[in-house]
Amino acid sequence: MNAIDWEIALKLFLGMIFGGIIGLEREIGNRPAGFRTHTLVCMGSVLVMLTSEYLFNTYHSVTNLDPGRLGAQVISGIGFLGAGTIMKDGSRVRGLTTAASLWVVACIGLATGVGFYWGALTATILSYITLVLLKKFEGHMPGVRDYEIHMDIRNVPGQIVQITNVLAALNIRIRHIHVEPGEEEVTQAYFRVTLPQGLNRKTLVGELARLDGVRVTEEDEME
């Protein structure tokens, strides 16, 4: 392998690393597009720019070529993949952050493919900070409160669905769900939720109490 071949391999490897870093955070959060998807998108974007550069160097003396045309198609085409991660859940729309992260890793891959390593590395670091650290501040915004709701629920199919439907109707963000497994008639469920501005805890508990087979046992404000 010559120096050019090694550079190609390095760019593809960096694309795998950069995309994987962001994808790992999405995978840990159990998002629709995770580690492998982000890795493949970033590597694919790198390959598109390498192919564009190869075509330009090979055929520029024969015909007029725009080396940025293939990259532009990636920017617009990634929207179709991102749209697949966006889901309507009652009154809430989920998956927008994952769709945005896919678009960002595609851009990072393009930057890596043209050798703009510093820009790609900086964007990767800042994207990870945005996804991990800034997420912690969302619950501390004015008018927004995080609560953990403990419930006894009848252990039959559909109970969790009816709870999430109520939360969606109230525009409440679900941050975490844990249900104790077991064969008993009644089991325990724990929801960590973020209440929107203007909605109080009493209203939430009242709506949940109206559900058949659901009893709120405790609700704590999270610090």
Side-chain angles (χ1 to χ4, degrees):
M1 294 177 65
N2 55 37
I4 295 179
D5 293 333
W6 280 111
E7 184 179 7
I8 292 172
L10 174 62
K11 289 179 177 180
L12 288 170
F13 179 74
L14 288 175
M16 181 181 71
I17 296 298
F18 293 155
I21 289 173
I22 298 175
L24 184 61
E25 189 280 334
R26 297 283 83 190
E27 186 76 29
I28 292 173
N30 197 27
R31 303 306 178 185
F35 178 73
R36 292 184 298 173
T37 303
H38 283 76
T39 301
L40 290 173
V41 166
C42 198
M43 283 197 302
S45 299
V46 173
L47 184 59
V48 165
M49 290 311 297
L50 291 174
T51 302
S52 182
E53 183 180 19
Y54 173 80
L55 290 173
F56 180 78
N57 292 334
T58 303
Y59 299 106
H60 72 277
S61 60
V62 179
T63 184
N64 291 328
L65 292 172
D66 179 5
R69 179 172 294 181
L70 287 179
Q73 297 305 310
V74 170
I75 296 298
S76 59
I78 198 66
F80 292 98
L81 183 60
T85 69
I86 300 174
M87 297 175 289
K88 186 77 163 57
D89 183 9
S91 61
R92 298 173 59 238
V93 178
R94 305 177 61 187
L96 288 173
T97 302
T98 300
S101 68
L102 286 170
W103 185 81
V104 169
V105 297
C107 295
I108 291 172
L110 296 176
T112 304
V114 297
F116 187 27
Y117 302 123
W118 179 245
L121 176 61
T122 304
T124 300
I125 295 173
L126 293 178
S127 297
Y128 190 83
I129 289 174
T130 300
L131 291 170
V132 176
L133 297 183
L134 297 188
K135 181 179 179 182
K136 300 180 183 298
F137 292 97
E138 288 184 343
H140 299 283
M141 295 174 64
V144 177
R145 291 290 183 271
D146 275 10
Y147 292 95
E148 185 168 281
I149 310 295
H150 298 187
M151 290 171 279
D152 287 337
I153 63 173
R154 188 180 302 149
N155 196 3
V156 295
Q159 290 294 83
I160 297 298
V161 173
Q162 69 169 342
I163 293 173
T164 57
N165 286 340
V166 168
L167 298 180
L170 295 173
N171 200 29
I172 294 173
R173 177 180 296 180
I174 301 173
R175 295 195 171 275
H176 180 71
I177 300 175
H178 176 70
V179 179
E180 292 288 346
E183 301 295 333
E184 302 296 331
E185 183 178 347
V186 175
T187 188
Q188 286 74 46
Y190 308 89
F191 281 68
R192 182 171 183 177
V193 299
T194 299
L195 272 60
Q197 188 172 6
L199 181 68
N200 58 44
R201 178 173 50 184
K202 183 178 179 181
T203 301
L204 168 60
V205 173
E207 290 296 320
L208 291 174
R210 294 171 57 187
L211 297 175
D212 183 36
V214 176
R215 184 173 68 90
V216 178
T217 58
E218 183 182 355
E219 70 277 0
D220 296 324
E221 183 172 351
M222 306 300 295
E223 297 297 334

